[in-house]
Amino acid sequence: MSTMKAVVFKEPYKVRYEEVERPSDPQAGEAIVRVKACGLCGSDLHPYRGSEAGLRAGTVCGHEFAGTVEEVGAGVELVPGERVAASFTTACGTCWFCTHSLSSRCDNAQLFGWIDEANEGIHGGQAQFVRVPHADGTLMRLPENVSFEEGVLLGDILSTGYFCAKNALTMLADSNIPPAQLSVAVIGCGPVGLCAVASARMLGFGQIFAIDRVQSRVDTAVKLGAQSQGYETANDGRGVDAVLEVVGAYEALKLSFEIVRMGGVVSSVGVHAHDKGFPVSPGQCYDKNVTFKSGRCPARSLMSEVSQLVKTTDVVRHIISHRVPLAAAAEMYEQFEAQKDGILKVVFDPWA
């Protein structure tokens, strides 16, 4: 049996870097990817903290990775040696949802790094190798000018930030207000929030306000084109035109509805792993004419589009705070969970 190094979930607040069986012998439609870079995502903390239950002990963690094709099964068009990035969920590329720009709801979608207690699911990308089902639909060939680190961001957080900002802009199209005159507040300036700030700037929003309890994150958002204060007086006090909510907390969504103007848009991509319900009633939405847009980002549907934009922003330089060997994963999970030492985005090297 061939082995590899990987980060394995044991129980809440415990992951371990250890030797596990290496995936091999790809079946029809599958590819084995040699991982060159992989990320630690904020949503990895949900099972880590135990707030999202059901992850089987022994599952290889992580859903952000990029690398090179190592082996392919029958029927796969990709060839060994090609540089690729994966979306955080698999995508067959042929079902109704995949062919209608909603790959996140693919009929065959599976989240990397999630195997439930009934042993259903697939291992993740915080490893030296990963098995990829529906390889041609899930993996995107990386342009030569896009690095593996950028590929890690494309497959999840950069596409998610872009999705959030684009949804808001699309929903405001009927207002006939030029983007340069629109204001948007981003609630939560972690990695996804910073990608939303950068995306809002790329899409032409005139004013971008950054809201976060951690001042260093707000400072980083300012470097990407946001303002640290002033959303209360936007549009002569009417409120901001749009709010991008990326936290996944009840309080963040409640604030979104409070600060958006009448007729504005709340675009939410935060993973709400809580049971507090919705912070406003249908009647309150009606009285404010608010449009609410939400959902899991269809990353694979957007990756090609976003890859053309990644070089127009310096978001990668500002977001990646730690580049460390995969062997340091347990320590990085602890630091990320506790928000220690200015940690923002961790990218692992599985071979260091």
Side-chain angles (χ1 to χ4, degrees), residues 52 68 76 154 266 285 298 309:
E52 192 170 358
T68 57
V76 176
L154 281 176
V266 173
C285 291
L309 301 172

Side-chain angles (χ1 to χ4, degrees), residues 140 154 299-309:
M140 185 191 81
L154 281 176
R300 186 61 188 89
S301 300
L302 290 171
M303 286 170 68
S304 295
E305 181 178 347
V306 179
S307 71
Q308 303 304 309
L309 301 172

Side-chain angles (χ1 to χ4, degrees), residues 272-287:
H272 285 262
H274 59 75
D275 58 1
K276 295 181 179 180
F278 206 68
V280 295
S281 69
Q284 288 173 303
C285 291
Y286 177 91
D287 288 342

Side-chain angles (χ1 to χ4, degrees), residues 133-171:
H134 307 290
D136 286 329
T138 302
L139 299 171
M140 185 191 81
R141 293 179 176 89
L142 281 179
E144 286 302 316
N145 66 338
V146 175
S147 69
F148 289 122
E149 285 188 347
E150 291 166 336
V152 168
L153 302 189
L154 281 176
D156 189 357
I157 65 170
L158 187 52
S159 290
T160 299
Y162 180 77
F163 176 66
C164 192
K166 186 177 181 181
N167 278 346
L169 187 60
T170 301
M171 294 298 103

Side-chain angles (χ1 to χ4, degrees), residues 137-331:
T138 302
L139 299 171
M140 185 191 81
R141 293 179 176 89
L142 281 179
E144 286 302 316
N145 66 338
V146 175
S147 69
F148 289 122
E149 285 188 347
E150 291 166 336
V152 168
L153 302 189
L154 281 176
D156 189 357
I157 65 170
L158 187 52
S159 290
T160 299
Y162 180 77
F163 176 66
C164 192
K166 186 177 181 181
N167 278 346
L169 187 60
T170 301
M171 294 298 103
L172 287 166
D174 288 343
S175 68
N176 295 317
I177 302 172
Q181 296 177 23
L182 291 171
S183 58
V184 60
V186 179
I187 299 181
C189 294
V192 176
L194 293 174
C195 288
V197 168
S199 297
R201 186 180 181 188
M202 287 188 291
L203 291 169
F205 278 93
Q207 283 187 302
I208 306 166
F209 300 101
I211 302 173
D212 198 290
R213 291 178 296 183
V214 180
Q215 186 58 44
S216 62
R217 293 184 169 194
V218 174
D219 294 341
T220 302
V222 169
K223 293 176 183 177
L224 290 168
Q227 298 172 226
S228 61
Q229 54 189 355
Y231 70 86
E232 302 92 340
T233 59
N235 291 319
D236 297 322
R238 289 189 298 274
V240 292
D241 298 295
V243 181
L244 312 184
E245 188 276 309
V246 302
V247 181
Y250 178 92
E251 295 76 11
L253 197 54
K254 183 174 183 290
L255 178 61
S256 301
F257 282 96
E258 289 172 355
I259 69 176
V260 72
R261 67 163 169 83
M262 291 186 182
V265 174
V266 173
S267 176
S268 172
V269 295
V271 180
H272 285 262
H274 59 75
D275 58 1
K276 295 181 179 180
F278 206 68
V280 295
S281 69
Q284 288 173 303
C285 291
Y286 177 91
D287 288 342
K288 205 170 182 179
N289 283 70
V290 172
T291 299
F292 178 65
K293 179 80 171 177
S294 183
R296 173 185 277 180
C297 170
R300 186 61 188 89
S301 300
L302 290 171
M303 286 170 68
S304 295
E305 181 178 347
V306 179
S307 71
Q308 303 304 309
L309 301 172
V310 71
K311 292 300 183 181
T312 68
T313 174
D314 54 357
V315 65
V316 176
R317 179 170 65 87
H318 289 297
I319 282 182
I320 299 176
S321 60
H322 290 65
R323 294 174 172 87
V324 297
L326 189 60
E331 177 187 355

Side-chain angles (χ1 to χ4, degrees), residues 326-348:
L326 189 60
E331 177 187 355
M332 289 296 103
Y333 268 82
E334 290 177 4
Q335 289 190 20
F336 192 39
E337 197 279 330
Q339 289 301 303
K340 291 182 178 178
D341 303 325
I343 195 167
L344 190 59
K345 183 66 181 178
V346 179
V347 173
F348 297 117

